[in-house]
Amino acid sequence: MEETEVVVIGAGVAGLTAARLLAGAGRRVVVLEARDRIGGRVHTDRTDGLVTDLGGSWIHGVEDNAVADAVAAFGIRTVEFTVGGYQVDSRPIAYHGPDGRRLDAGAAARFAADVHTVDRDLVDEIERSAPDDSYRDVVARAVAAQGWDAERAERVREHLEHRSEEQYGVASDELAAHGLDDDTIAGDEVVFPDGYDALPAHLAAGLDVRLGHVVARVDHGDDGVVVTSSRGTVHADVVVVTVPVGVLQAGDLVLEPPLPGRHREALGRLRMNAFEKVVLRFPERFWDEDVYAIRQLGPAGHRWHSWYDLTRLDGVPTLLTFAAGPAARAIRGWSTEQVADSVLEQLRRLYGDAVGTPTSVLVTAWQDDPFARGSYAHMLPGSTTDDHDDLATPIAGRVHLAGEATWTLDPATVAGALYSGHRAAVAVLGHDVPIDRLWADTPAG
Ligand SMILES: Cc1cc2nc3c(=O)[nH]c(=O)nc-3n(C[C@H](O)[C@H](O)[C@H](O)COP(=O)(O)OP(=O)(O)OC[C@H]3O[C@@H](n4cnc5c(N)ncnc54)[C@H](O)[C@@H]3O)c2cc1C
């Protein structure tokens, strides 16, 4: 059996971060990855030379963010696009009312002001919430407290429902009241004209990463860990497990002895979401100029309501929309053409015959991906924000869980994945290692 010091399972940002810091500190590290590529949920498509991030695409705020620091140090190009947090008015947005007509500036500003008013009151509502309350419960109370007429209240309630769907890929009655507590953005948001996958590529440089190794089992005890994959077994002192929580929940990767009660309970209160991207490229732009996004208010937008103008990335007229939460479940199994037809029908309500035929359409299927089982995890009602960090409590000094869902301050993000990988490396080493070693050192291969 092969011997090493550390096995890292998963070559996403969490796993590569842990592996790079550990290798940089002189540990012998083997990374086992099920797919035939690195990056996990950071994955860039380059069909026909056009760059599309199918997984993570935004840095949600570049201030005080190690991902932004790493990206700058690696020389990866970014473009400002501060509209990735379902903000109501951070940048110009073309709002269309329930009848499809564009709202004038005054009406859009009044709507945004209403959302801000409820957002301010939501903070206290969430603070006062009962352990089993959902995000929908607290929103309902905060909106009702305004005493607005039904139409005005409904527009704000609807915006916050879509926020739950777009930020966490879930209907708000299945999201904990505290499920969006982490939803703060410091500084501009940016996206990647050359693809976000440059980040995992830089992190992986010089590491021993083995693709096509599907890990099915981790046995751990006083003698160390034995990691069994589709290509054999490796013995190590410790293992860092970074597979998505959906993979653990499905039992696709078995730990023996199993996870302790505290970990099991925390795991049971998190759930992988349903959140898919639809990217449409057009021969020419037919939508409003000088806006970052287009939004449809009202019942007609129940499935498709927000489009993000990605034209700024490469000059090709491109719209990104999301099938988020119930919409993602609804389109499961649809062909690309069916999805495109459905989105285009909605766009025609706003722009009529000006809507052209797309030159390409990409639709993701993360919910059906066996190595992801969704796009990222959300908190179910009854969970606490600590559930994330609890998952990362080292087990018998041998097993360390990492990954986006194990980072309380910023779960569901590339940043959460990176910080969790840093924490795992520190736990394995038993002493601190500055996070900037990640981009300062090139480990010996
Ligand atoms: C559609 C979408 C949009 C997103 N948008 C954003 C965004 O704009 N900004 C942002 O910050 N974040 C975003 N995210 C979330 C972000 O991409 C993830 O939080 C982050 O990439 C997770 O990294 P990770 O290392 O924790 O997990 P992963 O990247 O999933 O890495 C885990 C690795 O484990 C591997 N694996 C799984 N099972 C096994 C097994 N049995 N054996 C061996 N290997 C296995 C997987 O193949 C994978 O490579 C988005 C994600 C998706 C899918």
Side-chain angles (χ1 to χ4, degrees):
M1 193 187 316
E2 183 179 350
E3 289 284 337
T4 192
E5 288 175 313
V6 185
V7 170
V8 173
I9 305 175
V13 168
L16 293 172
T17 297
R20 189 171 181 82
L21 290 171
L22 288 165
R27 294 293 190 278
R28 274 185 299 133
V29 184
V30 171
V31 183
L32 300 180
E33 166 57 49
R35 302 176 195 271
D36 60 2
R37 61 168 179 84
I38 62 164
R41 285 170 276 168
V42 172
H43 180 36
T44 307
D45 178 86
R46 291 192 172 75
T47 307
D48 298 331
L50 297 169
V51 174
T52 312
D53 274 315
L54 300 175
S57 50
W58 267 276
I59 298 181
H60 295 299
V62 294
E63 270 176 25
D64 200 17
N65 185 326
V67 173
D69 295 343
V71 161
F74 291 137
I76 301 170
R77 281 201 310 146
T78 58
V79 168
E80 186 274 328
F81 199 46
T82 311
V83 73
Y86 211 68
Q87 299 94 329
V88 69
D89 62 354
S90 64
R91 295 290 187 275
I93 295 175
Y95 278 103
H96 292 253
D99 61 1
R101 265 181 290 181
R102 184 159 176 187
L103 298 189
D104 63 31
R110 285 193 294 280
F111 165 66
D114 283 354
V115 171
H116 288 307
T117 299
V118 171
D119 264 341
R120 275 190 293 273
D121 290 359
L122 255 184
V123 176
D124 291 336
E125 273 308 335
I126 291 169
E127 195 59 40
R128 284 194 293 267
S129 65
D132 284 336
D133 275 345
S134 68
Y135 192 69
R136 189 172 293 173
D137 294 328
V138 286
V139 165
R141 292 200 286 266
V143 173
Q146 310 304 324
W148 291 332
D149 65 61
E151 168 69 15
R152 189 175 172 190
E154 179 55 17
R155 291 290 74 79
V156 174
R157 194 207 54 74
E158 171 190 276
H159 179 86
L160 298 176
E161 183 66 29
H162 291 329
R163 178 194 287 167
S164 168
E165 293 163 3
E166 279 217 359
Q167 294 304 94
Y168 267 100
V170 64
S172 68
D173 60 338
E174 295 174 75
L175 181 68
H178 284 278
L180 283 158
D181 281 6
D182 60 287
D183 205 28
T184 53
I185 289 173
D188 284 349
E189 293 180 282
V190 296
V191 290
F192 294 83
D194 305 317
Y196 212 156
D197 65 351
L199 175 66
H202 277 280
L203 293 176
L207 297 178
D208 180 356
V209 181
R210 303 181 190 177
L211 303 178
H213 286 64
V214 183
V215 176
R217 201 179 163 85
V218 172
D219 293 274
H220 58 102
D222 294 342
D223 297 336
V225 297
V226 176
V227 179
T228 306
S229 81
S230 49
R231 306 242 184 134
T233 52
V234 185
H235 180 266
D237 300 331
V238 294
V239 63
V240 179
V241 181
T242 74
V243 301
V245 290
V247 171
L248 292 175
Q249 289 165 338
D252 293 349
L253 194 163
V254 174
L255 274 88
E256 189 54 48
L259 288 175
R262 180 180 180 185
H263 294 72
R264 265 204 322 275
E265 285 162 23
L267 191 62
R269 291 189 288 260
L270 298 172
R271 192 174 65 186
M272 294 303 284
N273 66 11
F275 180 75
E276 307 297 355
K277 284 183 164 179
V278 182
V279 180
L280 304 104
R281 290 193 165 84
F282 293 92
E284 47 193 56
R285 158 200 203 101
F286 54 81
W287 53 91
D288 307 79
E289 294 281 345
D290 302 326
V291 294
Y292 281 54
I294 301 149
R295 290 224 173 99
Q296 161 77 70
L297 304 181
H302 79 282
R303 187 165 290 164
W304 313 111
H305 50 78
S306 299
W307 293 267
Y308 299 90
D309 185 357
L310 298 185
T311 311
R312 68 186 55 232
L313 270 77
D314 57 7
V316 179
T318 305
L319 291 176
L320 160 69
T321 187
F322 296 104
R329 302 275 185 226
I331 66 155
R332 204 169 183 177
W334 287 18
S335 67
T336 300
E337 197 178 27
Q338 280 175 295
V339 176
D341 285 348
S342 176
V343 174
L344 291 171
E345 187 185 331
Q346 181 60 30
L347 280 170
R348 281 194 201 98
R349 287 191 77 247
L350 310 184
Y351 300 105
D353 292 341
V355 176
T357 305
T359 47
S360 76
V361 181
L362 290 172
V363 184
T364 63
W366 292 101
Q367 56 192 317
D368 295 314
D369 181 326
F371 304 123
R373 292 188 171 270
S375 286
Y376 38 88
H378 69 86
M379 294 165 57
L380 287 163
S383 61
T384 70
T385 49
D386 289 342
D387 285 335
H388 299 103
D389 280 345
D390 283 353
L391 274 177
T393 311
I395 301 164
R398 298 281 183 199
V399 179
H400 303 265
L401 300 191
E404 55 87 8
T406 71
W407 189 255
T408 291
L409 282 180
D410 205 3
T413 62
V414 175
L418 186 137
Y419 287 122
S420 79
H422 173 243
R423 177 179 53 196
V426 169
V428 169
L429 292 170
H431 60 78
D432 194 20
V433 50
I435 201 161
D436 62 10
R437 296 253 68 85
L438 204 51
W439 49 91
D441 290 342
T442 301

